[in-house]
Amino acid sequence: MKKILLLAGVLILAGVAIALLFVRPCMPAVPDDAKLAGKSVADFPQTASRSFDAMDSRLSLSDDEVKGRNTWLLWTAGDQTLWDYLAQHGLGTADLLKAIDSRQRPSRFKDMGLVNQPGMAQAAQPDEYGLWLDIGAQEDGVDAAVYGRPTGIMGLRLYPNPKFDAAARARWDANRYYSDTNYYNDPKLVRPYVVGMACGFCHISFNPAKPPDDPENPRWENLSSTIGNQYLKASSFFASKAAPDSFAFQVLHSWAPGTIDTSFLATDNLNNPSNMNPIYAVPARLTVAHEEEIAGGALNFPGEQRRMAVPHVLKDGADSVGLIGALSRVYVSIG
Ligand code: HEC
């Protein structure tokens, strides 16, 4: 009897595995929420806003260069959909809406290594949904429909949640969201806002040539876009509500301050955090990059090139599987 059960089990597993092999390629692509809302590229113009000119030691930039930096600082490319999914299914982890709680503004740097957005302030009262959100943003020329609102933390942007309908509104209870595990861990709970992550979230930190007098209240001139946030405490930020005996808490807790395992949602099965290093000398690195042959599964990625100059960005030279392959490994940073 036992043998028959075992055999049946093996056959079922093999059947499921084979079925998955055939089903997976036929699965419909996940619809892009911007396309679902009928938007096109024209709805997301770049901004040449000069609101951030005091950063990076007042580096003089052309309008095009400013657009590039603004993209780095502000553009979340729809990754708020990923972060919202993780908040709904993460059992207390990755709930960015909770992590931006304005009551924590005075100690965000000390507790989580976060960089507060200059010019903003702690909220004196909750908003219309009972949520505590930083106030007082001044970003001339930054369209909230494209880039969301600033959350008060550099690199995190706030958008209305398109799924927050009348039923979700009727069910919404901010007090329970902040305090009741059963309520906020429900994967069906629809939050009023979604929070997106721009590249700058991990890459912006204090300019070592002009460090802030008070790290909880930096000014624009104290910030560098590319120095890398060597202070970020991933477990305090991503897993503030996870139980200490949970797997998620323990994994995140093993990461030293200033490190992230950018490929930890990919299937490399490695816990491999590394630091957000400064990005520098990119043109020089490109000039010494050797052409390499890209081979194997990496070529299955649409748009992957067969030969490319590999500048070995990323400490492990991850781009030696090609640019698209390297980007596809890092869901956490690229969303
Ligand atoms: C969640 C944190 C995080 C976010 C968000 C993030 N990065 Fe990074 N980034 C890192 C880490 C960590 C490294 C270093 C990884 C390594 O070397 O293995 C890194 C390294 C890099 C490097 C290589 C630097 C070098 O000198 O080799 C580039 C380029 C880069 N990131 C670009 C981006 C872009 C573009 C985005 C947005 C689309 C982005 N990053 C968003 C964490 C992040």
Side-chain angles (χ1 to χ4, degrees):
M1 187 61 187
K2 268 189 189 159
K3 272 190 189 156
I4 291 175
L5 280 178
L6 190 69
L7 187 67
V10 169
L11 284 176
I12 290 170
L13 278 182
V16 169
I18 290 166
L20 276 178
L21 275 182
F22 286 97
V23 170
R24 282 194 64 140
C26 312
M27 271 164 47
V30 178
D32 176 303
D33 60 334
K35 279 192 195 131
L36 276 180
K39 295 190 171 181
S40 70
V41 176
D43 294 304
F44 300 98
Q46 297 180 63
T47 169
S49 167
R50 292 280 175 178
S51 297
F52 314 102
D53 269 8
M55 293 177 76
D56 303 306
S57 299
R58 284 207 175 270
L59 196 64
S60 160
L61 299 177
S62 69
D63 277 354
D64 270 351
E65 289 165 339
V66 161
K67 284 181 184 171
R69 178 170 61 188
N70 289 346
T71 301
W72 178 258
L73 300 176
L74 308 170
W75 172 238
T76 63
D79 71 7
Q80 50 272 25
T81 308
L82 169 81
W83 289 108
D84 184 51
Y85 178 89
L86 291 176
Q88 287 187 302
H89 298 85
L91 297 174
T93 58
D95 194 343
L96 303 191
L97 187 58
K98 202 172 284 178
I100 64 173
D101 187 329
S102 189
R103 291 166 292 186
Q104 299 172 348
R105 184 172 171 100
S107 60
R108 273 188 197 136
F109 176 73
K110 179 163 80 62
D111 297 336
M112 297 182 273
L114 299 172
V115 179
N116 273 335
Q117 175 153 335
M120 294 184 71
Q122 184 181 351
Q125 60 204 34
D127 82 342
E128 54 177 312
Y129 301 115
L131 291 165
W132 292 86
L133 303 171
D134 284 10
I135 52 166
Q138 286 185 345
E139 292 180 336
D140 293 338
V142 177
D143 183 354
V146 178
Y147 298 102
R149 277 159 55 189
T151 59
I153 298 166
M154 292 303 296
L156 294 180
R157 311 288 304 179
L158 194 72
Y159 303 82
N161 187 349
K163 288 187 279 182
F164 193 69
D165 56 15
R169 186 183 285 259
R171 201 191 151 197
W172 179 250
D173 179 337
N175 287 331
R176 292 186 70 195
Y177 170 64
Y178 282 121
S179 60
D180 179 347
T181 322
N182 289 329
Y183 183 81
Y184 66 71
N185 277 347
D186 179 355
K188 294 209 175 73
L189 178 67
V190 179
R191 291 152 177 75
Y193 304 102
V194 290
V195 181
M197 190 180 286
C199 307
F201 175 69
C202 295
H203 287 282
I204 299 166
S205 187
F206 303 138
N207 184 340
K210 294 182 184 180
D213 294 333
D214 172 6
E216 304 292 357
N217 289 299
R219 297 185 327 183
W220 288 114
E221 50 269 36
N222 301 129
L223 303 187
S224 156
S225 311
T226 50
I227 194 76
N229 190 348
Q230 57 189 301
Y231 308 104
L232 186 69
K233 293 180 190 161
S235 67
S236 319
F237 177 69
F238 289 113
S240 62
K241 296 286 174 188
D245 63 352
S246 68
F247 179 68
F249 177 92
Q250 289 298 326
V251 171
L252 291 168
H253 212 67
S254 70
W255 299 359
T259 71
I260 288 266
D261 183 353
T262 48
S263 60
F264 92 124
L265 296 181
T267 49
D268 64 2
N269 298 319
L270 296 172
N271 182 22
N272 188 26
S274 68
N275 68 321
M276 272 77 82
N277 54 309
I279 301 179
Y280 57 93
V282 175
R285 286 153 73 178
L286 286 170
T287 58
V288 293
H290 285 293
E291 279 227 340
E292 288 183 21
E293 192 84 38
I294 312 297
L299 288 174
N300 295 336
F301 288 112
E304 190 71 281
Q305 285 172 286
R306 220 162 243 290
R307 281 189 73 79
M308 64 168 266
V310 175
H312 295 273
V313 291
L314 306 171
K315 286 178 279 301
D316 54 0
D319 59 343
S320 62
V321 297
L323 207 55
I324 311 282
L327 290 175
S328 307
R329 280 180 57 244
V330 291
Y331 291 94
V332 181
S333 32
I334 311 293

